[in-house]
Amino acid sequence: MEFLTWKVEDGVAIATINRPPANALSRGMIQEVNELLNEVENDDAVRVVVLHGEGRFFSAGADIKEFTEVSDGAEFTKLAEAGQTVFERLESFSKPVLAAIHGAALGGGLELAMGCHIRYVAKDAKLGLPELQLGLIPGFGGTQRLPRYVGTAKAAEMLFTSEPISGEEAVQWGLATRAFEAENLVQETIAIAKKMAKKSPIALAQAITMLGYAKPASFYEGIKAEAASFGKVFVSEDAKEGIQAFLEKRAPQFTGK
């Protein structure tokens, strides 16, 4: 794989995202996450998966340059649906998947992390969904998963302001489970994963299945609506302005059209 490497240690597959400079979430990377799940699903040597980023970030967002290659709203909706499918598989995967988040998990990067069963964070990490700053909305399940963790009002604030929260705040709001010093994050996450790896794989898989029943049917309705809305906003003049402003490193001037 081009962007993901992994090794197995005491029953834990330690997977590393490596797509410099910011580990931006491209279509190729999303596909490699799916390939990783294919690789470890029936591997008895792997009982838990840890996902973390190489370099300065976990993943600082989607690959915005790829958005300029999308021709219309229908294609944008399909792009969202493809990502949603992989992240839904991640969330229902039969082996625990833990995200170790340092630096930043923004936009699609946070949506990837929210698809994991558990998130551990560096205290100074930044987590957020800044898509509205681009005249867009989250498209990989973010509008549906974030409120489940932080509540509707806090999710609304994070979406409407585009401002991230820190790793410590993420723990306080329920978006993450524990916060560590950045230099200890991966080591601490792997240590927890190794404890999980000692459990019965059969029991772990059934526990994951049972936790899935806590997800209401309306979640899937919301996911479908999110993909459609993702395509709808893409064709707006505001979206074009937001994407261009991002690429030109300037503030966008939205007109409501």
Side-chain angles (χ1 to χ4, degrees):
M1 289 188 274
E2 184 178 359
F3 307 124
L4 278 178
T5 59
W6 58 283
K7 62 180 181 179
V8 180
E9 185 178 296
D10 297 333
V12 178
I14 305 166
T16 305
I17 302 169
N18 190 2
R19 189 172 185 259
N23 292 335
L25 195 73
S26 64
R27 282 181 278 193
M29 186 191 295
I30 292 173
Q31 184 55 43
E32 288 192 12
V33 171
N34 196 52
E35 291 175 14
L36 170 67
L37 299 182
N38 288 339
E39 292 282 343
V40 304
E41 188 167 25
N42 297 310
D43 187 344
D44 292 339
V46 175
R47 297 189 174 186
V48 182
V49 179
V50 170
L51 185 63
H52 73 103
E54 182 67 32
R56 296 172 54 204
F57 305 107
F58 174 81
S59 174
D63 188 338
I64 305 303
K65 289 184 179 179
E66 275 196 348
F67 290 176
T68 64
E69 301 169 2
V70 178
S71 60
D72 56 37
E75 186 180 350
F76 218 53
T77 293
K78 290 180 180 179
L79 171 66
E81 290 172 341
Q84 289 175 351
T85 298
V86 174
F87 293 172
E88 178 61 27
R89 183 187 181 194
L90 193 65
E91 191 170 40
S92 59
F93 196 60
S94 60
K95 302 178 181 185
V97 184
L98 285 54
I101 301 167
H102 77 290
L106 301 172
L110 180 56
E111 289 175 298
L112 169 61
M114 287 193 292
C116 299
H117 296 116
I118 304 172
R119 285 151 297 287
Y120 298 111
V121 294
K123 293 180 179 179
D124 60 355
K126 298 297 182 185
L127 295 82
L129 296 177
E131 284 87 348
L132 268 71
Q133 186 66 24
L134 302 179
L136 302 172
I137 64 168
F140 298 141
T143 64
Q144 303 305 297
R145 287 193 173 93
L146 186 62
R148 290 172 56 204
Y149 294 120
V150 304
T152 302
K154 185 62 177 177
E157 181 184 66
M158 291 174 67
L159 287 167
F160 299 168
T161 66
S162 298
E163 294 177 0
I165 59 176
S166 69
E168 289 184 307
E169 289 174 319
V171 173
Q172 294 169 7
W173 282 100
L175 182 55
T177 304
R178 302 187 199 180
F180 302 101
E181 297 296 337
E183 60 268 25
N184 299 326
L185 170 66
V186 174
Q187 179 182 351
E188 293 284 0
T189 302
I190 292 172
I192 295 169
K194 288 181 178 180
K195 291 181 182 179
M196 297 178 184
K198 294 179 180 179
K199 302 295 188 293
S200 162
I202 298 171
L204 279 173
Q206 289 302 309
I208 290 170
T209 299
M210 294 305 104
L211 289 171
Y213 283 99
K215 189 187 299 184
S218 61
F219 173 85
Y220 298 101
E221 296 173 6
I223 284 289
K224 185 177 180 179
E226 180 190 77
S229 295
F230 195 59
K232 185 176 181 179
V233 298
F234 175 72
V235 299
S236 70
E237 292 181 16
D238 277 353
K240 293 180 176 64
E241 163 64 11
I243 292 170
Q244 192 62 34
F246 176 85
L247 295 174
E248 294 176 359
K249 295 181 173 57
R250 61 175 174 81
Q253 299 294 321
F254 295 129
T255 61
K257 297 181 180 178

